[in-house]
Amino acid sequence: MKKEKDLFGNIIERKVTYWVFHDESIPSKRWFIIGLLFVKAEYLQKVEQALNYLVEKENYKGEIHFSRLPKKFQGEYGPKARIALNWLKAFEEGLSDYAKFSALAVDRFSPAYDYSRFTKEYHAYNRFTAMALKGAIAWLLGPENLDKLSIVFVSDAKFRMSRPEEGWIDNFEKYIPYRAQLDSYLSRLEGKKYPFVKIEKLETEDSSRNILLQFCDILLGATQMAIVAGSTKETKIKLGKMIVK
């Protein structure tokens, strides 16, 4: 593919920065699901304002988390569920142009799943997170024909499954940036159209203080519901049906 040039013959590089919000879910022994929400840096405030507007309409002050949604959209505890519903409606109606979501579902009962490759369980979680990131970059951002991609990666510290219980230490913070750059190099070496990728910053944050992590959680929870149908709650079934569309 020929590089685009400016009026002076200089090659124009397509460079962009995305914020990527990361969450994980283990709804059963069989499934492990990773959710990634991509928001271009220039749209970050716009997306936050849209989500906050829908929260403020309900005059709700707490955290929105899929696993804690009530059974009904009505009643005293309904605001949380109505906010989640309105977030998904906004996503359907155009918010997805600014906040792009991708999920990777891993079937651990599949004959192709090789437990021997991972000496510790969190190594598998980290590896599949890197795979989810690589796939999402190719699928979601491919049409942008980027040359260079900078990422600010924000992971939900409160609910992250890939942290082992003993000491809360793993190689996540080092592995993900390393693997993202390696996958970028190998993809381009194979002749694929794939940007130079650099994770400029990786941080973990309590989702209760980050509305974009909460939005990622709702999208991931709805995806989980669509895959495993693990709840009989009216609210969760509704969100699962919406994400299937």
Side-chain angles (χ1 to χ4, degrees), residues 147-165:
D147 296 302
K148 292 184 178 180
L149 172 63
S150 296
I151 291 175
V152 179
F153 195 96
V154 184
S155 182
D156 186 351
K158 192 175 178 182
F159 295 100
R160 236 187 67 207
M161 303 299 182
S162 60
R163 285 192 178 276
E165 293 179 358

Side-chain angles (χ1 to χ4, degrees), residues 67-87:
S67 68
R68 298 172 185 166
L69 292 180
K71 295 180 181 179
K72 303 287 185 182
F73 291 104
Q74 303 79 25
E76 181 182 356
Y77 301 103
K80 286 191 291 188
R82 290 196 296 273
I83 290 166
L85 178 64
N86 287 328
W87 279 358

